[in-house]
Each structure stands twice: as C-alpha cells, then as structure tokens.
Amino acid sequence: MNPRQIALHQILGRIGLWLSVLVIVSPAILFFLWMASLSLKFEIDNASYPPVFFPEHIAWKNYADVFASNRFLTYFSNSLIVTGCATGLAMLVGVPAGYGIARMAAHKSAIVILIARITPGLSYLIPLFLLFQWLGLLGTLVPQIIIHLVVTVPIVIWIMIGYFETTPLELEEAALIDGATRWQVFRHVALPIARPGLAVAFILAVIFSWNNFVFGIVLAGRETRTLPVAVYNMISFDQLSWGPLAAAALIVTAPVLLLTVLAQRQIVAGLTAGAVKGG
C-alpha cells in the first residue's frame, strides 16, 4: 500500500468515525435544541402546526416566570444542599474505600460494591421510607441526603477501585521505605496521582444526585422538593405551558452541563487513564 492509499484510508476512517459520532449524538443534540426552542417561544408558537423552530419573537418571559416563582430559589437551594452533601460524603467515604479495596485486592468486596451499584434505587426506597417515617424525618432534607448516598457511594468506590488499580505502586513503596505511614502515602502520594479519577467520580456523583427524581418525589415535602421534582410538578392536567416548562428543564440541566464543560480536561484524562475501568 503506497503513501497515497494510506492517507486516503486514514481520511476515510476519520470521516467514518465522525459520521458514527454524529449518528449517535444527533438525537440528544436535536432534543436539547428543540427544548431550547420551546423555552424561547410563546405558547401560540409552541402549539402551531407545522412546528416553528426559529420564532420571530423571543419569549424571554418564560425564563423570567421561572425565576420569579416564589419557590424556585428554595428548590434550587434544596438541590444544592442535597447534591453537595451527598457528593461530599460519597467522596469522603468512597475514595478511601476504593483505595483500600484496590490495594488489598479485595475482589469479593468489589463484587459487593458492583452489586450495590447495579441494584435499582427503588429496592432501597421502601425500607428506608419506613425507617425515615418511624424517625419522623419525612419532609426534611436529611432522608434525601442519606438515600442519595445509596447511589453516589457505590459509583465513587467503583470508579476509584478501577483507577487506583492502574496507578504505579513504586511511588507508594518508596514512600513507605522512607518512613511514611499508610495514611501519609494515601494523602500525599496516591491522592495527587488520582486527581483525574477524583474528577470523574465527583462529576458522575453530582450528575446522578442532581438528576435523581424518584427519591425526591417520595421523600420530599412541599418545602423540601428538589428541582427535578419541582419541574415535574409544573405539569398539570388543566394547563400545560411548554415554554416555562422547557425553560425550567434547561435551568435544571445548566449547572451539571456547566460543571462538565469546565472539568472536561480532567474527565478526559480520567477516562483515558482507566478511571472507569470495569464500568
């Protein structure tokens, strides 16, 4: 095969790759753009046929109505508290647990974590609901934070197990020979190397916690709803306003999307370094 054929083969391969990526991601992009279009149109345009994608007049009022809602800031702060606490506690517990399981080669413990990861959250909801009801915690943020740990902790542990298994042991062994304790090795040697994996675990824990809907709708009270539940409650049988609903959905998506964009380098580095090995 001559150089010209090799170059042509590489170009065709790249074109095929980009076409495959376009086919895979185009439905998600289309849905996102259509939701953005709905949020910027008046109801007469949203109900028109044939559908209008680019409106003549922008309905910024949809976003203003969402932010003007008396409870929106309350629901937003509830989501921040629940997601922040659940993610922080998951990282605090999951990172050392993943390191210990990886270094001790505790494969049985890893299987338990995998089972906890793939088990549907609804399996834990009923017994925890009865427990929280007995403790008198229903309608507060505490049960939501605790039950979100059921989702976030296994994710963090599983990701960190896969990442720590790929990090070199030589640096840790050298630190132990120099007299460092296991905790000092973990803190000053293992954690700095594991930054890409920490970023991936953090982002995924935030996404799973922020977007969780089932736990919030069952355990939350009127004043302790999170944003996904609040958006759902905007749907009624009497009247459905697509513009404010789409605007609220985009606002819910924006923090996670922004966080992912800002941390994309760490995410790519963690993925390519094996942070989701076995996932």
Side-chain angles (χ1 to χ4, degrees), residues 82-265:
V82 172
T83 300
C85 293
T87 303
L89 291 173
M91 297 294 290
L92 185 64
V93 174
V95 175
Y99 176 77
I101 293 174
R103 289 295 175 260
M104 295 177 63
H107 301 297
K108 293 182 179 180
S109 299
I111 293 176
V112 173
I113 298 301
L114 177 61
I115 294 174
R117 178 187 173 188
I118 64 178
T119 301
L122 289 174
S123 303
Y124 309 99
L125 184 57
I126 295 177
L128 287 177
F129 175 85
L130 296 176
L131 175 63
F132 295 139
Q133 187 179 43
W134 179 69
L135 294 174
L137 294 175
L138 288 180
T140 66
L141 294 178
V142 175
Q144 297 186 70
I145 295 172
I146 294 176
I147 202 168
H148 277 219
L149 295 176
V150 173
V151 178
T152 56
V153 171
I155 292 174
V156 173
I157 295 178
W158 186 254
I159 290 175
M160 297 314 300
I161 289 175
Y163 193 86
F164 282 124
E165 287 179 346
T166 64
T167 57
L169 292 174
E170 290 77 9
L171 295 177
E172 298 183 18
E173 293 173 350
L176 290 172
I177 293 174
D178 291 338
T181 63
R182 177 58 69 177
W183 172 251
Q184 290 174 331
V185 171
F186 170 72
R187 181 180 177 184
H188 298 291
V189 179
L191 282 184
I193 298 176
R195 285 179 181 176
L198 294 173
V200 175
F202 178 82
I203 293 295
L204 292 182
V206 168
I207 291 174
F208 276 85
S209 179
W210 183 271
N211 293 332
N212 190 277
F213 169 77
V214 176
F215 296 157
I217 199 171
V218 174
L219 299 176
R222 186 174 181 83
E223 297 294 332
T224 57
R225 292 169 181 166
T226 54
L227 281 179
V229 179
V231 172
Y232 170 77
N233 287 330
M234 294 179 64
I235 301 176
S236 64
F237 293 102
D238 298 330
Q239 182 179 5
L240 180 58
S241 299
W242 288 107
L245 180 62
L250 285 177
I251 293 172
V252 172
T253 308
V256 174
L257 182 62
L258 180 62
L259 180 62
T260 305
V261 171
L262 294 176
Q264 59 179 329
R265 291 186 178 179

Side-chain angles (χ1 to χ4, degrees), residues 28-98:
I29 295 176
L30 178 61
F31 294 149
F32 185 83
L33 293 177
W34 185 252
M35 186 166 61
S37 175
L38 288 174
S39 69
L40 296 174
K41 292 186 296 187
F42 292 96
E43 290 306 308
I44 189 172
D45 292 327
N46 286 330
S48 64
Y49 184 85
V52 176
F53 190 82
F54 297 103
E56 295 182 4
H57 303 285
I58 303 299
W60 297 112
K61 181 178 179 295
N62 294 332
Y63 289 91
D65 290 343
V66 173
F67 284 106
S69 173
N70 294 330
R71 301 182 183 274
F72 178 79
L73 292 179
T74 300
Y75 298 149
F76 186 80
S77 62
N78 290 341
S79 290
L80 287 179
I81 294 172
V82 172
T83 300
C85 293
T87 303
L89 291 173
M91 297 294 290
L92 185 64
V93 174
V95 175

